[in-house]
Amino acid sequence: MFGKPPSGCVVYDNFDSMEREDGVQQPLPSEQVMSEVHLGCPPNHSGPHLSHFTISLPPRYENSTLRGNIDAVEDISISASTMLDLDEDGDLILTRRKKSPSHHLVLTIQHNITSSIPRVGLQVWRAELVLTDFVLHVMSTSSDFDKVVALELGAGTGLVGILLARVAKTVFITDHGDEVLENCEKNVDLNAEIFHGKASVHVRELDWKNSWPPQEENTAPSKGRYCWTQSEIEELKKASLLLAADVIYSDDLTDAFFSILKKLMLDNPEKVLYLAMEKRYNFTLDDLDVVANGYSHFRSYLITEQADDAGCKQLDGASKPLFVGEQIDLRYIPCYVLNYNRGDDVELWKIKLNHRALF
């Protein structure tokens, strides 16, 4: 992730120092930002921290593909219970019924509690958890994401792409900057055991401000381990699913985001993006009020499926938005990730190319 600090975070200016793990006080940079998501993080901690995100999976019996296996287990339990045990006095020994196993998945994510503004991708943000809830919901109620080729844009810690690797064929987890990518790669390694056996997961650099696809001379392995190969670029053209969370907080970055999104979607016009975002409220002198300027700029790129774009400022009065957006009602998406508060300002959008605007 790039750019200005998102709202919904704490900004530290000229903070004196913060305690390291070894107890040594070290100075903080002049400006640090902190997400509201810092699960289990010790106070006054600096640097990377491992958090364990507990995800409540739907009960197995709700999955019809597993129903037969559970029935078989129940049949075995019933037949076994007919073999009664008696004590030395001939009294029946009652065995306490074991609790049903809880259906939870625990993801271990390395992230920073604070970061400088260009490195906000080292933190976990609230919209990332909302998108995780959505991906889990689709995975548990349908096969829509099974065996897909997927791309996560501005992935940060990689939480969403890592989870998707439970069912996807190939997942490209992308961001910008070696430090963010190295942290993301660490998280992929920490959670590799949850991937399904044939899943391919690639951590790659994707700078939205650069040309796409990269020139062939920039795809050689010697360019770095986060560079694309030609075969990966060809596979990405087949991707049907794009994901992004909390990448809308700067107008310049929003422009760059939709620019790269257009290039990616033109490869396969049937691509779908699911984007989770938090509205960014700021006081402006122009309006003398607290307004979500970044949100308005984001909406200017979209027309709704009902063609109701009233109130959306057009980039060009004569042009049509290049993308069709449909807001997803989060009231129907359960909270699978435990111990976080969604708040009221996070939205989830389904975005596709506006084919009519291309001609």
Side-chain angles (χ1 to χ4, degrees), residues 38-292:
H38 35 83
L39 181 66
C41 299
N44 300 322
H45 178 84
S46 176
H49 175 76
L50 292 179
S51 286
H52 304 287
F53 289 86
T54 302
I55 295 168
S56 178
L57 299 177
R60 290 179 64 192
Y61 60 78
E62 291 184 5
N63 188 331
S64 59
T65 62
L66 298 175
R67 180 66 254 181
N69 293 336
I70 291 178
D71 288 340
V73 172
E74 290 173 349
D75 289 342
I76 293 172
S77 300
I78 292 171
S79 61
S81 67
T82 61
M83 300 174 62
L84 305 179
D85 292 327
L86 304 176
D87 64 16
E88 58 184 9
D89 296 323
D91 296 324
L92 181 65
I93 298 175
L94 297 178
T95 303
R96 290 184 179 273
R97 178 175 295 176
K98 295 181 180 179
K99 289 185 177 180
S100 298
S102 59
H103 301 285
H104 290 92
L105 178 69
V106 178
L107 270 66
T108 301
I109 297 296
Q110 177 174 280
H111 63 105
N112 278 24
I113 301 170
T114 65
S115 70
S116 61
I117 294 171
R119 295 176 176 83
V120 291
L122 293 172
Q123 298 189 59
V124 177
W125 299 90
R126 182 154 45 194
E128 186 176 1
L129 300 182
V130 171
L131 185 59
T132 298
D133 279 336
F134 172 74
V135 169
L136 276 163
H137 188 61
V138 174
M139 287 166 52
S140 64
T141 59
S142 75
S143 59
D144 290 354
F145 292 168
D146 290 4
K147 300 180 181 179
V148 298
V149 176
L151 168 69
E152 186 179 6
L153 293 154
T157 63
L159 175 60
V160 179
I162 288 169
L163 187 66
L164 185 63
R166 288 175 62 83
V167 298
K169 174 188 175 186
T170 305
V171 182
F172 294 102
I173 301 177
T174 68
D175 212 306
H176 175 58
D178 283 349
E179 188 175 1
V180 173
L181 292 168
E182 286 169 4
N183 186 70
C184 186
E185 187 175 50
K186 171 72 172 178
N187 287 329
V188 169
D189 293 339
L190 286 171
N191 296 280
E193 63 181 21
I194 76 165
F195 303 165
H196 81 76
K198 297 182 179 180
S200 296
V201 179
H202 307 281
V203 177
R204 293 291 178 263
E205 181 155 32
L206 184 53
D207 187 339
W208 308 336
K209 296 181 179 180
N210 289 345
S211 62
W212 181 264
Q215 299 299 314
E216 189 168 351
E217 60 268 20
N218 294 325
T219 60
S222 60
K223 294 294 182 179
R225 68 179 186 271
Y226 302 120
C227 290
W228 296 79
T229 66
Q230 285 298 316
S231 61
E232 290 169 353
I233 294 171
E234 290 303 313
E235 184 172 18
L236 184 58
K237 292 179 180 179
K238 304 173 186 176
S240 58
L241 175 64
L242 307 180
L243 300 165
D246 230 332
V247 297
I248 304 297
Y249 50 85
S250 157
D251 286 356
D252 290 344
L253 283 177
T254 298
D255 293 339
F257 176 77
F258 279 104
S259 175
I260 191 69
L261 186 63
K262 177 184 175 183
K263 296 172 185 176
L264 292 166
M265 285 192 162
L266 285 174
D267 284 339
N268 176 3
E270 300 307 313
K271 280 187 173 76
V272 176
L273 167 71
Y274 291 100
L275 181 147
M277 62 166 295
E278 189 168 0
K279 291 182 181 178
R280 308 299 180 191
Y281 291 99
N282 296 284
F283 180 84
T284 68
L285 293 176
D286 291 338
D287 298 285
L288 292 179
D289 198 1
V290 177
V291 295

Side-chain angles (χ1 to χ4, degrees), residues 276-337:
M277 62 166 295
E278 189 168 0
K279 291 182 181 178
R280 308 299 180 191
Y281 291 99
N282 296 284
F283 180 84
T284 68
L285 293 176
D286 291 338
D287 298 285
L288 292 179
D289 198 1
V290 177
V291 295
N293 283 333
Y295 181 75
S296 299
H297 192 66
F298 159 73
R299 285 297 306 271
S300 71
Y301 278 95
L302 305 178
I303 186 171
T304 63
E305 288 194 334
Q306 296 77 23
D308 180 15
D309 57 339
C312 296
K313 180 182 176 183
Q314 299 288 326
L315 296 176
D316 180 338
S319 65
K320 296 180 181 178
L322 285 175
F323 301 93
V324 178
E326 175 188 355
Q327 188 175 350
I328 296 172
D329 193 337
L330 289 174
R331 292 177 299 173
Y332 300 102
I333 309 298
C335 288
Y336 296 101
V337 182

